[in-house]
Amino acid sequence: MTMPPIAPRRPHSFTAHGVTIDDPYAWLKDPGYPEVTDKDVLGYLAAENAYFEAVMAPLRPLTDRLYEEMKGRIKEDDASVPQKDGDWLYWTAFETGGQYRKWWRKPVAGGADELILDEPALAEGKEYFRLGALSVSNDGRLLAYAIDDNGSERFTVRVKDLATGEHLPDVIPGMLSEIVWTSDDTGFLYGLANEQWRTDNARLHRLGTDPESDVELFKEADEGFRVGVSETSDRQWIVIATGDHVTSEVWLLPAADPLSPPVCVSPRKVGREYDVDSHGDTLFIHTNDTHPNFRLCTAPIADPGNWQERIAASADFYMTGISCFERFFIVDGREDGLDQIEIHAYDGGAPKRIAFPEASYDAGLGDNPEYDMTVLRLGYESMVTPGTVYDYDVETGAMTVLKVQEIPSGYDAARYATERLKITARDGTDVPVSIVYPRDFPRDGSRPLFLYAYGAYGYAIPPGFSTGRLSLLDRGFAYAIAHIRGGDDLGQQWYLDGKLEKRTNTFNDFVDVAKGLIAGGWTSAGRIAIAGRSAGGELMGAVVNSDPELWGAVIADVPFVDVLNTMMDADLPLTPGEWPEWGNPIEDKAAFELIRSYSPYDNVKRQAYPPLFISGGLNDPRVTYWEPAKWAAKLRATKTDDNVLLLKTNMGAGHGGKSGRFESLREAAEEHAFVLWQLGVEG
């Protein structure tokens, strides 16, 4: 039988706040990172990958079967619904067998289809490929786009002349931002990643000039802030936004004169977030200055700090964003955790709310690039309803179906049911749970259940549709999403109640949801497969330490598990910007003690652990490869059980795993095969 690799222990410790922390696996962090050349490190990762392949080899037929199932539910030659932007209709399309999209357009007035960007050709011969920002100039003649071909999320910008198909000589490496054209299309704004992979700048590139001479229009001094560029809906203003997880500041530049001095809308105040759009000579400001659920203010562009309330904050309605159009503006939000879209007239009156048919769903504005629109593109799905694209007539309220996600191998929604449950956590808080299951599902505790959550950064997991999930449902599983604190599923306060000193609410909510599902007969202890990635992987690490007996299989993708070490390392790319989310253990002893109390790596102990499938990416700048590697090494050396533990490191990819729609499907099939194997479910 193949034996798992055992990482050597090497003495290493550090002392902070009078506490000495031993870390015998610290050597797995290559000191030359982001270059990883240490032979011992690479040797250990290679040994783990070889062990992974050996253990998974008997499951290859099942993995292949799951992959073919999942692939069979994807329309290979799928295309998006064309959308008008100026004189052109734009859309994307996959070809049969294609891993990547092709980007197309044709004249609104009639004419031939034009291929404007060929992702498959750009990805040819590359182990990894990802398209980042993409922006067509205002006159439709030029296309600026950015690609990453190793997963490091440092993009290279190129510019293509769409009339000739030729590339301009302009090439800008190291970019990490959007691309925004100036009004006259002689140049565009973008931001470079600095050595710490932080975008602390906004720059102007004039076509035909050396990027080394690009003008830096804005420079951020706070190392915890990130700078982004965008434009207002009417394309009159370029927006330079800077901020961290709790504080923001916005500057405006005329798109027609980007070299004019930027105007600050309102100077930063710690704990206040805001973003802006414009209509005529008025700014619309979406802000949480008086209430965590945000309100809407307006201000004259000539006096942008003079905020006047337009829509008050509400304890029941969480205002997530605003979008200005020429004849109306849109307020996006959530009520009781469910998406809402409201249409408001500029001259006042009651808003019109778009009605959606199901008790639990995911809905929002689609691609609406033009300022003067009377028909809005919407997207809608639920856990049983495939993705649907609508056109909504603002005047009449008529909703027209343009496209329903096609599932070539067949799909019958009547075979499945979905509910929205509420399960009471240990502190009396009701936690929403979205669940989908086969209609004949018995609630006698006999069936397996797959439970997913994230629970950080105010990111809500929507109850949307998944074709991959059907492979579990059709084998008798229920699938549940726990909308735990730390996300903003129930509003901004829901997020605040799962961060910093309240972080453990996130972990407790997840465990209590699992226990509530067991009590409700949905499953039983040891029959639950759980999954989370990134900060959701931190969640996985915490709950296998606290309640290992509940879980039958655990998927932890790119897991943020070495929390204390990472938050103590100010030189890592993300760390300074993360302190408002987790706390600063360098300066704050209470933060140090709290993080130390739950950091999954630091709390591995001698006990039985459930079967674990852990993944990482060598080039991942968000959760560095050594976090899952150190965690796996420590678990192997410490746990008292014989359950399988696998570590798979993608040696040519980053945070998102392998690129390409079929490669990512194969990774999902591997994980599903692991779950079915560990829960003893027939494949």
Side-chain angles (χ1 to χ4, degrees):
M1 179 182 173
T2 305
M3 296 299 292
I6 302 298
R9 295 167 57 90
R10 297 180 183 175
H12 176 87
S13 64
F14 68 92
T15 301
H17 304 291
V19 177
T20 298
I21 305 288
D22 289 315
D23 187 3
Y25 301 104
W27 64 269
L28 283 166
K29 174 187 174 183
D30 190 317
Y33 182 82
E35 296 292 320
V36 184
T37 57
D38 185 287
K39 289 180 181 177
D40 289 351
V41 171
L42 291 172
Y44 173 68
L45 297 179
E48 286 283 9
N49 280 346
Y51 177 68
F52 173 87
E53 294 296 337
V55 172
M56 292 295 287
L59 295 182
R60 195 158 295 134
L62 174 58
T63 302
D64 290 344
R65 195 154 59 246
L66 288 163
Y67 171 73
E68 292 300 331
E69 279 180 23
M70 294 176 182
K71 189 177 177 185
R73 299 189 193 108
I74 291 180
K75 181 173 168 57
E76 291 209 29
D77 56 347
D78 200 16
S80 64
V81 180
Q83 178 63 298
K84 179 179 177 293
D85 188 2
D87 296 331
W88 301 87
L89 289 166
Y90 292 88
W91 72 98
T92 63
F94 286 100
E95 293 182 348
T96 300
Q99 295 263 28
Y100 302 97
R101 291 178 174 84
K102 292 187 174 185
W103 295 71
W104 295 88
R105 73 177 184 181
K106 65 180 177 183
V108 173
D113 295 354
E114 293 183 15
L115 177 62
I116 61 172
L117 193 69
D118 188 343
E119 285 190 50
L122 292 170
E124 185 73 34
K126 295 182 171 70
E127 184 178 351
Y128 181 92
F129 172 84
R130 178 180 162 199
L131 179 68
L134 175 143
S135 182
V136 177
S137 60
N138 297 289
D139 62 11
R141 286 188 56 250
L142 301 170
L143 170 69
Y145 66 94
I147 62 171
D148 166 20
D149 59 11
N150 64 15
S152 67
E153 298 186 51
R154 291 178 185 270
F155 293 82
T156 298
V157 183
R158 302 289 305 272
V159 182
K160 183 178 179 181
D161 185 323
L162 295 178
T164 67
E166 299 298 317
H167 280 86
L168 304 188
D170 309 66
V171 177
I172 306 173
M175 181 273 243
L176 185 62
S177 75
E178 294 300 313
I179 296 169
V180 181
W181 289 92
T182 60
S183 292
D184 61 7
D185 294 327
T186 62
F188 53 81
L189 276 77
Y190 69 99
L192 287 179
N194 65 16
E195 288 185 4
Q196 286 75 40
W197 191 71
R198 301 169 190 150
T199 308
D200 59 7
N201 60 91
R203 300 163 69 87
L204 172 65
H205 176 69
R206 292 291 190 191
L207 296 176
T209 65
D210 184 349
E212 291 290 327
S213 65
D214 287 355
V215 179
E216 188 169 73
L217 303 174
F218 183 86
K219 178 77 169 181
E220 175 56 61
D222 189 322
E223 65 176 355
F225 277 44
R226 301 289 186 276
V227 177
V229 293
S230 61
E231 61 186 346
T232 54
S233 297
D234 58 10
R235 302 186 187 176
Q236 298 302 301
W237 297 92
I238 293 171
V239 178
I240 300 174
T242 182
D244 58 14
H245 294 298
V246 298
T247 304
S248 56
E249 181 180 78
V250 173
W251 297 73
L252 298 176
L253 288 169
D257 185 15
L259 291 175
S260 64
V263 174
C264 183
V265 173
S266 181
R268 65 192 68 177
K269 295 178 182 176
V270 175
R272 181 186 69 172
E273 296 178 271
Y274 72 96
D275 53 87
V276 305
D277 205 348
S278 68
H279 178 255
D281 58 4
T282 302
L283 277 180
F284 281 65
I285 302 143
H286 170 243
T287 181
N288 65 348
D289 60 347
T290 63
H291 192 284
N293 274 356
F294 286 78
R295 64 175 180 148
L296 178 62
C297 296
T298 59
I301 289 178
D303 186 13
N306 182 16
W307 295 6
Q308 302 295 317
E309 185 168 274
R310 174 71 189 251
I311 301 175
S314 163
D316 300 318
F317 182 81
Y318 173 37
M319 188 185 298
T320 56
I322 54 113
S323 306
C324 290
F325 293 88
E326 188 167 284
R327 308 180 200 201
F328 53 85
F329 66 94
I330 300 289
V331 172
D332 293 299
R334 282 201 289 277
E335 200 165 76
D336 196 26
L338 294 174
D339 294 326
Q340 307 295 340
I341 302 172
E342 291 185 346
I343 301 166
H344 291 254
Y346 286 110
D347 59 4
K352 185 190 300 185
R353 184 176 284 194
I354 300 176
F356 296 108
E358 294 176 279
S360 181
Y361 58 85
D362 174 24
L365 288 179
D367 181 28
N368 294 282
E370 294 191 329
Y371 188 51
D372 187 8
M373 300 186 77
T374 57
V375 176
L376 291 174
R377 185 68 50 86
L378 306 178
Y380 177 89
E381 59 188 278
S382 78
M383 293 185 86
V384 296
T385 301
T388 307
V389 179
Y390 290 99
D391 265 354
Y392 176 83
D393 189 305
V394 175
E395 190 62 40
T396 67
M399 194 103 86
T400 305
V401 175
L402 301 180
K403 180 185 177 183
V404 178
Q405 179 181 352
E406 188 179 331
I407 302 171
S409 60
Y411 173 70
D412 179 6
R415 292 178 55 199
Y416 311 97
T418 185
E419 293 181 34
R420 190 171 176 85
L421 313 174
K422 288 188 176 176
I423 291 176
T424 304
R426 64 194 68 180
D427 65 356
T429 301
D430 285 340
V431 180
V433 180
S434 299
I435 190 165
V436 61
Y437 53 93
R439 281 206 178 270
D440 61 357
F441 190 89
R443 298 188 198 175
D444 58 6
S446 65
R447 291 292 184 88
L449 179 138
F450 194 102
L451 181 61
Y452 183 81
Y454 184 69
Y457 298 110
Y459 178 71
I461 301 296
F465 188 74
S466 163
T467 55
R469 186 187 298 150
L470 296 173
S471 290
L472 296 175
L473 298 181
D474 290 347
R475 288 170 173 81
F477 278 72
Y479 187 106
I481 299 169
H483 303 285
I484 54 181
R485 283 173 283 186
D488 68 353
D489 307 62
L490 294 186
Q492 190 78 350
Q493 192 61 49
W494 198 248
Y495 163 46
L496 299 176
D497 286 343
K499 66 182 289 194
L500 295 172
E501 70 279 0
K502 298 180 180 178
R503 180 62 185 153
T504 54
N505 283 339
T506 302
F507 315 138
N508 294 342
D509 283 359
F510 188 84
V511 169
D512 294 345
V513 162
K515 290 178 176 177
L517 290 168
I518 292 168
W522 290 97
T523 189
S524 54
R527 300 285 287 155
I528 306 174
I530 59 174
R533 64 178 300 115
S534 196
E538 178 201 284
L539 169 66
M540 298 299 100
V543 301
V544 297
N545 283 336
S546 69
D547 296 84
E549 72 286 349
L550 291 178
W551 325 118
V554 181
I555 306 293
D557 287 319
V558 290
F560 177 39
V561 284
D562 194 11
V563 186
L564 185 62
N565 275 307
T566 293
M567 289 298 103
M568 295 287 291
D569 189 346
D571 293 331
L572 284 175
L574 289 180
T575 295
E578 298 294 301
W579 289 327
E581 181 77 15
W582 311 103
N584 182 345
I586 299 172
E587 298 180 358
D588 182 348
K589 183 176 181 180
F592 173 86
E593 292 293 354
L594 177 63
I595 293 171
R596 182 176 167 230
S597 75
Y598 69 72
S599 173
Y601 173 70
D602 294 281
N603 287 279
V604 170
K605 51 184 176 279
R606 282 190 58 77
Q607 65 178 20
Y609 279 85
L612 281 149
F613 182 123
I614 303 166
S615 73
L618 191 68
N619 299 329
D620 187 348
R622 297 176 186 267
V623 176
T624 47
Y625 76 87
W626 61 81
E627 293 210 24
K630 289 173 62 178
W631 185 43
K634 190 172 184 180
L635 281 165
R636 283 206 196 288
T638 310
K639 71 193 189 80
T640 59
D641 59 87
D642 294 325
N643 289 327
V644 68
L645 185 158
L646 300 177
L647 171 65
K648 174 188 177 182
T649 304
N650 278 315
M651 303 303 281
H655 197 62
K658 289 188 177 179
S659 59
R661 57 177 176 161
F662 299 131
E663 285 301 316
S664 58
L665 270 191
R666 188 165 288 283
E667 293 196 326
E670 279 183 340
E671 294 179 358
H672 280 22
F674 179 83
V675 165
L676 294 176
W677 170 37
Q678 292 304 319
L679 293 186
V681 177
E682 287 293 321

